[in-house]
Amino acid sequence: MAPSKKTAPARPKAPKKTARPVTLGDWLKHAVARYKKTGAALGQIATNSHDEALYLLLRTLALPLDSKPSVLKHKLTAAEVMAVEKMLHRRLDQRIPAAYLTREAFLGEYRFYVDERVIIPRSYFLEIIPQQLDAWLPNPAKVRRVADVCTGSGCLAILLAHHFPKAKVDAIDLSPGALEVAAINVRKHKLASHVKLHESDVFDAVPKVKYDVIISNPPYEPSAHCDELPAEFHREPRMALDGGKDGLDIIRKLLLRACDRLLPHGVVLIEVGGLQHAMDKAFPELDLYWMHTADGSNCVCLIQAERLCKWKG
Ligand SMILES: C[S@@+](CC[C@H](N)C(=O)[O-])C[C@H]1O[C@@H](n2cnc3c(N)ncnc32)[C@H](O)[C@@H]1O
């Protein structure tokens, strides 16, 4: 009889060793994998995890944001590893938005201080204010008064002040906390003599002056949609996002008040997120003009004073 072949018991497989990140490039890969694993939400300062992770790593290690690619070869010290691990924990496990961790946000070339008192700047007005707005004004060099309703961090008021250096800018918000942040930014941009802050529900508490231009990036999310937003967006002030049942509460109020606040050649521009169709339906007589944006969302509308005042009657 042939001896039965004994099969050796299968050896338990050694767990696959994942190499510990050593260089900044390793930590970047590791971070990107963790963004994916945790399902962290993007869209506040970057639209992809690579860019956001790289930004956070560079800031955590106090390296310039315009570092050369060779920076990825940098080997982290023990103290740097601890700092990076802490930052990743706060961003990815606690879901704190990147901009609140670094206390800064950018709109184009401009840098702003931000914290939890304000929404993180990400407005489409960045594409509108310099390139497109002037075409609607009889003489952009003669613009003397502009208003930014719902100013938050003051970022758009500051963009306006840079673009119209001879104009006085009224920056309006109902949140005292947001206005404290706006004051920091106005000071940092050395624009205190150009930008005046007002605590007001739209124009209610603002002295009765008339403007060449009114812009607004108001809260426009329908309330039910706010409830469903990812954790990162719940860290932003609810009153910066929630536009009431249909998202149009503040927009309606602004449209009703704006006629009395515009010079005859004036224009009002409002950013409305995904409410383009809702706006066209709610205000057909306004024949809203939708400004072009690079990603095709075209979510900023423009209305001239004449049409607005005719509508208001
Ligand atoms: C979407 S955030 C815009 C902030 C900033 N303009 C930007 O683009 O980043 C809307 C802002 O509107 C403010 N706000 C909400 N209701 C308001 C009201 N009734 N009157 C004035 N501001 C209001 C919020 O406090 C918040 O700062």
Side-chain angles (χ1 to χ4, degrees), residues 28 35 45-46 49-65 87 98-106 111 114:
L28 180 57
Y35 268 79
I45 63 158
S49 54
H50 175 278
D51 290 357
E52 187 177 299
L54 180 58
Y55 161 77
L56 275 176
L57 287 166
L58 291 171
R59 277 292 187 242
T60 306
L61 302 179
L63 292 165
L65 293 184
M87 178 276 291
Y100 293 157
L101 293 175
T102 58
R103 296 280 189 247
E104 69 176 1
F106 294 87
R111 180 170 177 261
V114 293

Side-chain angles (χ1 to χ4, degrees), residues 117-123 148-156 172-175 178 200-202 217-220 239-241 250 253 271:
R117 290 172 287 181
V118 292
I119 194 171
I120 298 159
R122 48 180 177 270
S123 170
D148 172 26
V149 181
C150 300
T151 199
S153 60
C155 57
L156 301 182
I172 300 156
D173 206 288
L174 188 55
S175 154
S200 173
D201 182 349
V202 187
N217 180 17
Y220 52 65
M239 74 180 283
L241 297 165
I250 311 295
K253 179 159 188 176
E271 182 165 344

Side-chain angles (χ1 to χ4, degrees), residues 15-42:
K16 228 181 180 179
K17 269 194 187 161
T18 39
R20 218 176 143 59
V22 176
T23 63
L24 180 53
D26 298 338
W27 276 100
L28 180 57
K29 272 192 211 141
H30 169 79
V32 169
R34 275 183 64 183
Y35 268 79
K36 195 168 173 202
K37 199 169 160 198
T38 56
L42 295 157

Side-chain angles (χ1 to χ4, degrees), residues 113-311:
Y113 170 83
V114 293
D115 64 28
E116 289 79 353
R117 290 172 287 181
V118 292
I119 194 171
I120 298 159
R122 48 180 177 270
S123 170
Y124 281 92
F125 272 110
L126 178 63
E127 294 179 44
I128 311 289
I129 290 171
Q131 291 101 335
Q132 299 186 58
L133 175 55
D134 287 3
W136 292 86
L137 301 169
N139 191 345
K142 285 202 170 157
V143 166
R144 289 293 176 268
R145 277 200 175 271
V146 296
D148 172 26
V149 181
C150 300
T151 199
S153 60
C155 57
L156 301 182
I158 288 168
L159 250 61
L160 286 170
H162 284 299
H163 186 58
F164 298 115
K166 290 190 177 151
K168 282 190 187 338
V169 182
D170 284 327
I172 300 156
D173 206 288
L174 188 55
S175 154
L179 289 168
E180 285 162 17
V181 173
I184 295 172
N185 285 316
V186 168
R187 224 171 23 245
K188 277 181 186 281
H189 285 259
K190 299 189 172 34
L191 287 168
S193 57
H194 290 271
V195 181
K196 190 156 187 224
L197 303 175
H198 302 267
E199 185 182 329
S200 173
D201 182 349
V202 187
F203 287 113
D204 289 358
V206 182
K208 289 200 170 33
V209 291
K210 295 201 181 234
Y211 301 98
D212 301 273
V213 179
I214 298 170
I215 69 161
S216 184
N217 180 17
Y220 52 65
E221 296 296 342
S223 303
H225 185 223
C226 286
D227 298 334
E228 288 160 12
L229 289 170
E232 284 83 346
F233 295 84
H234 284 285
R235 297 228 177 227
E236 296 187 307
R238 174 90 184 204
M239 74 180 283
L241 297 165
D242 193 336
K245 195 163 188 287
D246 61 0
L248 295 173
D249 282 4
I250 311 295
I251 294 170
R252 260 189 215 99
K253 179 159 188 176
L254 174 59
L255 288 171
L256 285 169
R257 300 286 191 278
C259 163
D260 297 338
R261 297 295 188 144
L262 281 174
L263 289 162
H265 63 265
V267 286
V268 58
L269 295 98
I270 312 175
E271 182 165 344
V272 305
L275 296 187
Q276 194 178 356
H277 295 298
M279 289 280 292
D280 282 331
K281 210 171 150 200
F283 309 108
E285 309 89 341
L286 285 177
D287 194 15
L288 303 168
Y289 178 83
W290 294 97
M291 311 292 275
H292 175 74
T293 62
D295 66 1
S297 61
N298 302 346
C299 59
V300 177
C301 63
L302 177 142
I303 311 138
Q304 290 174 300
E306 198 186 339
R307 188 172 290 275
L308 192 64
C309 295
K310 211 166 135 192
W311 166 76

